[in-house]
C-alpha cells in the first residue's frame, strides 16, 4: 500500500526551497575573476538540515539553488540541483541524530567537500580547469559561511518557535 501524501512535508520543503532561493539570489557577492558569485543559500540549506532533516534539506537545497541559477546562470542549474541537493542530504543525515560539536564540525567539513568538489567538476565541464581552480576559495568561504550562519539561524528560530522540533523527520 502506498504511503499517504504528507502535505506538511511538501509545504515545509516548498517554504524552505523559497528561503534558499532568496538567500541565493538577493545577497549575490560577485567573484570577478570567474564571473560567478558567492551567496548565503548554504545557510538556508544548513538551517533546513538542522530543522527538518536530510530529505527536506536535499530537496530545498537543490531546488532553491537551481531556481536561483535560472535567474542569470541557467547553465549551472542542473549542477546546483545536484551539488546542493547532496549537501543538504549529507548535512541533514549528519544532524539526523542530534546536534553536537563533533557533528557540527563533521557537517561543516562535509558541506565544504561536497560544494568544492561538485563545483570544481562542474567548472571543468562548463568553463575550464583554470577557472574551476579560481572558484575553490570562494566555494570554501560560501560553504563554511553557510554552516556559521545556518545553525545560529536554526537555534534562533527554535528558541522563538519551540514546536519547530516536531517537524523534524526524526519525529515524523
Amino acid at each position: 500500500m502506498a504511503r499517504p501524501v504528507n502535505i506538511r512535508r511538501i509545504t515545509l520543503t516548498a517554504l524552505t526551497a523559497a528561503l534558499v532561493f532568496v538567500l541565493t539570489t538577493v545577497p549575490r557577492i560577485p567573484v570577478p575573476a570567474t564571473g560567478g558569485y558567492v551567496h548565503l543559500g548554504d545557510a538556508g540549506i544548513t538551517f533546513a538540515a538542522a530543522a527538518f532533516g536530510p530529505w527536506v534539506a536535499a530537496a530545498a537545497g537543490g531546488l532553491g539553488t537551481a531556481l536561483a541559477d535560472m535567474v542569470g546562470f541557467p547553465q549551472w542549474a542542473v549542477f546546483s540541483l545536484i551539488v546542493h541537493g547532496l549537501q543538504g542530504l549529507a548535512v541533514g543525515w549528519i544532524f539526523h541524530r542530534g546536534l553536537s560539536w563533533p557533528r557540527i564540525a563533521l557537517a561543516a567539513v562535509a558541506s565544504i567537500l561536497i560544494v568544492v568538489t561538485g563545483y570544481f567538476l562542474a567548472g571543468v565541464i562548463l568553463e575550464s580547469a583554470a577557472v574551476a581552480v579560481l572558484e575553490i576559495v570562494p566555494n570554501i568561504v560560501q560553504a563554511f559561511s553557510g554552516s556559521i550562519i545556518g545553525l545560529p539561524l536554526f537555534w534562533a528560530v527554535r528558541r522563538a518557535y519551540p514546536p519547530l522540533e516536531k517537524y523534524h523527520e526524526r519525529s515524523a
Side-chain angles (χ1 to χ4, degrees), residues 11-164:
T11 304
L12 287 172
T13 303
L15 289 171
T16 310
L19 171 69
V20 172
F21 172 84
V22 169
L23 289 173
T24 303
T25 305
V26 176
R28 284 186 177 173
I29 303 159
V31 178
T34 64
Y37 65 96
V38 173
H39 56 79
L40 295 175
D42 296 53
I45 296 167
T46 301
F47 168 81
F52 307 121
W55 298 110
V56 170
L63 290 172
T65 56
L67 289 171
D69 276 345
M70 294 304 289
V71 182
F73 299 89
Q75 70 276 23
W76 291 91
V78 170
F79 296 104
S80 291
L81 177 73
I82 295 166
V83 170
H84 290 291
L86 288 173
Q87 177 190 23
L89 184 67
V91 173
W93 182 77
I94 292 167
F95 290 164
H96 190 66
R97 297 198 188 272
L99 295 172
S100 63
W101 289 113
R103 287 179 200 271
I104 291 168
L106 179 61
V109 169
S111 182
I112 291 167
L113 288 174
I114 290 167
V115 170
V116 169
T117 303
Y119 279 111
F120 179 81
L121 295 172
V124 168
I125 293 167
L126 291 177
E127 306 278 345
S128 69
V131 173
V133 167
L134 293 175
E135 282 289 332
I136 291 173
V137 171
N139 283 326
I140 290 171
V141 169
Q142 177 179 300
F144 184 69
S145 297
S147 297
I148 299 279
I149 297 167
L151 281 173
L153 176 63
F154 164 70
W155 288 323
V157 171
R158 187 174 65 181
R159 186 176 349 227
Y161 186 70
L164 179 70

